[in-house]
């Protein structure tokens, strides 16, 4: 006789001794078994059924959950933590990376791509723009600033 009785298909094999099925354990077969076991503080709530905390998901609570989605190829590597590729940074991998960084107030608009202000051009916004352009071999040394060669002068090196 088993008192209390065996639960969940358990069999009383000796006085107050239950033999449980593979899916249950405990003195009266009242504790469910999860095989494989639940991870990350997950609770075995029924045979082979894990109840996970809000930070984990999956059959055995093995997959981290990020409240905000990881962008641009980033992966949720632990709860609310995105691991980004080398081209992106930020909490959700939302900010592109430019190496080297953009010069002269240019902004990194996508990985290794700078968007320049109206006064600069070039891959990293390193080349000034002169408008109108420099004449007679003069070089644009800063935005709208020409450096003239010998014998030439004026704002665009137009005068001898």
């Amino acid at each position: 006789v088993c008192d209390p009785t065996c639960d969940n298909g358990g069999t009383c094999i000796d006085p107050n001794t239950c033999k449980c099925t593979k899916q249950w354990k405990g003195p009266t077969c009242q504790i469910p078994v999860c095989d494989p076991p639940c991870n990350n503080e997950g609770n075995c709530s029924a045979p082979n059924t894990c109840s996970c905390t809000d930070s984990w998901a999956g059959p055995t609570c093995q997959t981290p959950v990020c409240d905000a989605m990881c962008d641009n190829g980033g992966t949720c590597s632990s709860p609310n933590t995105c691991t980004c590729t080398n081209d992106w940074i930020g909490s959700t991998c939302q900010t592109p990376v430019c190496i080297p960084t953009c010069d002269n107030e240019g902004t990194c608009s996508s990985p290794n791509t700078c968007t320049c202000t109206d006064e600069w051009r070039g891959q990293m916004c390193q080349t000034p723009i002169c408008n109108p352009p420099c004449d007679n071999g003069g070089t644009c040394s800063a935005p709208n600033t020409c450096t003239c060669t010998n014998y030439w002068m004026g704002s665009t090196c137009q005068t001898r």
Side-chain angles (χ1 to χ4, degrees):
V1 173
C2 288
D3 186 23
T5 61
C6 303
D7 293 327
N8 300 304
T11 305
C12 187
I13 57 170
D14 278 325
N16 295 325
T17 304
C18 294
K19 181 177 182 183
C20 303
T21 64
K22 290 181 180 181
Q23 295 182 325
W24 298 92
K25 65 181 181 179
T28 61
C29 306
Q30 78 283 11
I31 301 170
V33 173
C34 286
D35 187 23
C38 304
N39 296 297
N40 302 303
E41 299 178 15
N43 179 42
C44 187
S45 55
N48 295 319
T49 303
C50 295
S51 296
C52 305
T53 65
D54 290 342
S55 299
W56 296 93
T60 61
C61 307
Q62 78 283 6
T63 305
V65 173
C66 287
D67 290 336
M69 194 157 169
C70 302
D71 295 324
N72 301 303
T75 57
C76 187
S77 55
S78 63
N80 291 317
T81 302
C82 293
T83 297
C84 305
T85 64
N86 290 338
D87 292 336
W88 299 90
I89 58 173
S91 61
T92 61
C93 307
Q94 75 280 10
T95 304
V97 174
C98 287
I99 298 174
T101 58
C102 304
D103 292 332
N104 302 303
E105 298 179 14
T107 56
C108 188
S109 53
S110 64
N112 294 317
T113 303
C114 296
T115 299
C116 305
T117 63
D118 291 340
E119 297 177 327
W120 297 91
R121 64 183 164 91
Q123 186 175 0
M124 298 299 157
C125 305
Q126 74 280 10
T127 305
I129 295 174
C130 287
N131 192 9
C134 304
D135 292 324
N136 300 308
T139 57
C140 187
S141 55
N144 297 317
T145 302
C146 294
T147 300
C148 302
T149 59
N150 290 343
Y151 311 113
W152 293 98
M153 56 187 182
S155 60
T156 62
C157 305
Q158 75 281 8
T159 308
R160 198 174 249 275

